[in-house]
Amino acid sequence: MSESMKAIVVERLGPPDVMEVRELPVPQPGPGEVRLKVEAVGINFADVLAVAGEYLTRTRLPSTPGMEFAGIVDALGEGVTGVQVGQRVAALAGRGGLAEYAISPAAALIQVPESFTAAQAAAFPVSYFTAYHGLKTLGHGKEGEWVLVQAAAGALGTASIQLAKALGMNVIAMASTEEKLHIARDLGADVTLLQDDPDRVQKVRDAAGGKGVPLILEVVGGKRFQESLDMAANRGRIIVIGNASREQANLRPVELMKRNLTVTGLWLTSLMGDQEATREAAETLTQLVASGQVTPQVGPTYPLKDSARAFQDILDRKTTGKVIIEPQR
């Protein structure tokens, strides 16, 4: 193996074009760590925000983005057990994935089915664990209930539709184009609506029986957050997972009081520290993958040198499914 590798480096925060391909030394795993030969990196909107300096945690510079990746274990640090060299795994390492080799804490590794391709493995952890926690752990979704899924053709949206249907829920899917709504329907969405339909609030309420939606997975934020409140049924639960609009949302607590609404934030990073919730999610997802009810939706793939274009395509809403970057390509 060469002593150097190609990696994306960010030295200043900003738009995607601040990312540069550099030659760096191949990293060595420390105690409790493993090194992966990275085959695929799943790109999330959180990665875009981290490069821009707008994520929930501060981006330390210089930085190599890529919080979610999959690859072949090729070196073990001291004290690591339960994983073998040559094994394909996914990693929720938080950063460092956009490189030919990356380090991950052994505790951040996720076992993936042998049937998964590298791209599917990289597309799985963030979207499907987030969807599960939104629908069940925090959303308390029940069989037969309606759930509203925003940005339905994206990585989280496609995961949420599949998982909600597997759990026996009814899905209203919203997206920006008819092409994206077609993807949502193919995955089982019961009702689909364009997100800019002028009558979207009333149509969502009508689709859920005229009383509004019991559970909403809110990823848009900004002025659309008020619409989520308006679409919700009495005693509805709004799970805030993202802020794709990158705009400030306003919330007046008295509005929650009037209809006994609940607004709950979801951040996967902190939830992964809850071992019981993580175990429950992993068991359910493993069963659903094995039964074929859940399959990671891989979107467009890019070589490492086109990472900035991949990030910009996400910002421009040109993509569907999970965007994948392949550092070995």
Side-chain angles (χ1 to χ4, degrees), residues 273-295:
D274 184 331
Q275 294 184 357
E276 179 59 26
T278 299
R279 181 195 60 77
E280 181 181 292
E283 287 181 356
T284 301
L285 290 169
T286 298
Q287 293 170 4
L288 294 176
V289 167
S291 68
Q293 293 175 273
V294 162
T295 303

Side-chain angles (χ1 to χ4, degrees), residues 202-227:
Q202 190 58 49
K203 287 183 177 180
V204 167
R205 293 186 64 85
D206 290 344
K211 298 180 179 180
V213 185
L215 179 59
I216 296 174
L217 303 185
E218 162 62 54
V219 302
V220 179
K223 61 180 180 294
R224 295 294 180 104
F225 179 75
Q226 179 61 52
E227 292 184 5

Side-chain angles (χ1 to χ4, degrees), residues 60-308:
R60 297 179 180 178
L61 300 177
S63 175
T64 294
M67 61 180 61
E68 171 186 37
F69 49 93
I72 303 299
V73 176
D74 88 322
L76 304 178
E78 182 182 349
V80 173
T81 60
V83 63
Q84 299 178 345
V85 171
Q87 182 179 353
R88 174 179 287 154
V89 296
L92 278 174
R95 63 195 295 267
L98 285 176
E100 292 178 314
Y101 292 86
I103 299 296
S104 172
L109 298 181
I110 294 175
Q111 304 298 322
V112 295
E114 293 183 4
S115 61
F116 275 10
T117 65
Q120 287 176 318
F124 182 69
V126 168
S127 296
Y128 286 85
F129 275 85
T130 299
Y132 181 87
H133 290 312
L135 291 166
K136 293 295 292 183
T137 309
L138 301 179
H140 307 294
K142 304 178 185 65
E143 185 175 355
E145 271 194 326
W146 284 94
V147 58
L148 173 64
V149 176
Q150 299 176 339
L156 177 60
T158 54
S160 299
I161 292 171
Q162 289 183 83
L163 188 53
K165 295 306 297 180
L167 296 172
M169 303 178 71
N170 302 312
V171 175
I172 302 170
M174 299 185 75
S176 59
T177 68
E178 287 291 350
E179 177 188 9
K180 292 179 178 181
L181 292 182
H182 180 74
I183 292 171
R185 286 191 290 272
D186 282 349
L187 292 173
D190 300 279
V191 176
T192 57
L193 290 169
L194 289 170
Q195 66 184 33
D196 292 328
D197 186 313
D199 300 318
R200 55 190 175 272
V201 173
Q202 190 58 49
K203 287 183 177 180
V204 167
R205 293 186 64 85
D206 290 344
K211 298 180 179 180
V213 185
L215 179 59
I216 296 174
L217 303 185
E218 162 62 54
V219 302
V220 179
K223 61 180 180 294
R224 295 294 180 104
F225 179 75
Q226 179 61 52
E227 292 184 5
S228 289
L229 297 179
D230 295 340
M231 293 171 181
N234 290 348
R235 299 178 65 181
R237 293 97 65 201
I238 298 97
I239 310 299
V240 179
I241 306 175
N243 183 34
S245 67
R246 303 168 82 179
E247 300 172 351
Q248 185 70 34
N250 295 315
L251 172 63
R252 294 187 302 159
V254 69
E255 292 191 59
L256 308 184
M257 296 168 58
K258 287 178 179 177
R259 293 192 289 128
N260 301 293
L261 301 176
T262 300
V263 177
T264 303
L266 192 169
W267 187 32
L268 183 62
T269 299
S270 58
L271 259 179
M272 293 298 285
D274 184 331
Q275 294 184 357
E276 179 59 26
T278 299
R279 181 195 60 77
E280 181 181 292
E283 287 181 356
T284 301
L285 290 169
T286 298
Q287 293 170 4
L288 294 176
V289 167
S291 68
Q293 293 175 273
V294 162
T295 303
Q297 301 297 295
V298 175
T301 62
Y302 303 76
L304 190 67
K305 65 182 179 63
D306 290 340
S307 294

